[in-house]
Amino acid sequence: MAFRNLNRRAQINNETGLGTNTALSGGRFFAKDGRANIEIRGLHFWQRLNLYHTMLSMKRWKFLAAIMLFFIGINLIFAGIYLLIGLEHLSGMVANTYGEKFGEAFFFSAQTFTTVGYGRINPVGFLASFVASFEALTGLMSFALVTGMLYGRFARPRSFIRYSQNALFAPFKEGVALMFRMVPYTKNYLVNVEVKVSIAMKVLED
């Protein structure tokens, strides 16, 4: 069955919002990864910030980098607190230089934060013990939050669907219809599929 053009004089319009060129005015309605191409204005940064959603939607390497930076940063902060309290309140330290002492305070903080606690270094006095207890509580809560975010990232539904590169108009049921192909690229099957398509185009009529 031969295809026919709706209008031979119709010209391609790349500013409909569904084109492939995002540099033109208007841009795409949706990005190629399915995210809505929407710019929110009139709200402050803290009103638009959603840390949980950001952590769920960011790329995998950015998520892992954020977790590592948080882990290193929080232990640097607690190591600095132990230095302010006084390293004499940490029993079992064998370092001599200031840098080595800070390193031992950092790794003691990491062991306390992860609730490992090897036992060679232990806090002495109320203030150091209070800080260590608070750090252990912070570590437990942090691991619970990270575990929830990891589960949210793995449990988030994904479509795993690919679409044909081109769409076309072809005869269909005594008329003309827009046709394109879609297929799951994992070991899944589509059953009772319902698709809603939005299209914006400019057609020059006689």
Side-chain angles (χ1 to χ4, degrees), residues 71-125:
F71 180 77
I72 295 174
I74 195 69
N75 283 291
L76 287 174
I77 292 174
F78 276 104
I81 294 175
Y82 291 127
L83 288 178
L84 292 177
I85 294 175
L87 296 181
E88 64 274 7
H89 293 89
L90 295 180
S91 176
M93 299 188 68
V94 296
N96 296 320
T97 64
Y98 184 82
E100 292 177 348
K101 290 180 179 179
F102 181 80
E104 287 203 359
F106 174 82
F107 288 112
F108 168 74
S109 173
Q111 295 162 15
T112 305
F113 187 81
T114 57
T115 66
V116 174
Y118 291 113
R120 183 174 67 85
I121 302 177
N122 59 281
V124 177

Side-chain angles (χ1 to χ4, degrees), residues 10-20 24-25 200-203:
Q11 298 179 355
I12 297 176
N13 180 22
N14 292 324
E15 298 185 7
T16 59
L18 297 175
T20 58
L24 298 176
S25 61
M201 59 184 299
K202 184 177 181 180
V203 178

Side-chain angles (χ1 to χ4, degrees), residues 56-71:
L56 289 184
S57 58
M58 68 171 47
K59 294 182 179 180
R60 188 177 305 170
W61 70 269
K62 290 184 178 181
F63 177 79
L64 296 177
I67 297 300
M68 290 300 299
L69 288 176
F70 171 77
F71 180 77

Side-chain angles (χ1 to χ4, degrees), residues 14-41:
N14 292 324
E15 298 185 7
T16 59
L18 297 175
T20 58
N21 191 347
T22 59
L24 298 176
S25 61
R28 296 171 58 98
F29 289 158
F30 295 94
K32 290 185 177 181
D33 58 0
R35 293 179 299 173
N37 187 17
I38 300 175
E39 181 179 352
I40 301 176
R41 299 180 180 179

Side-chain angles (χ1 to χ4, degrees), residues 123-198:
V124 177
F126 172 79
L127 188 56
S129 299
F130 175 80
V131 173
S133 300
F134 180 77
E135 183 180 9
L137 177 62
T138 304
L140 290 174
M141 296 178 62
S142 299
F143 278 102
L145 291 174
V146 172
T147 302
M149 287 187 290
L150 282 172
Y151 176 79
R153 290 178 64 90
F154 282 108
R156 187 175 57 176
R158 300 176 184 271
S159 58
F160 296 106
I161 293 177
R162 294 190 183 275
Y163 301 90
S164 56
Q165 188 68 24
N166 300 313
L168 54 87
F169 289 96
F172 180 75
K173 291 184 178 180
E174 300 181 356
V176 178
L178 174 66
M179 297 184 180
F180 60 91
R181 292 180 178 179
M182 54 183 294
V183 61
Y185 60 91
T186 58
K187 294 182 179 180
N188 297 328
Y189 300 95
L190 299 178
V191 180
N192 296 327
V193 179
E194 181 179 350
V195 180
K196 294 182 180 180
V197 180
S198 299

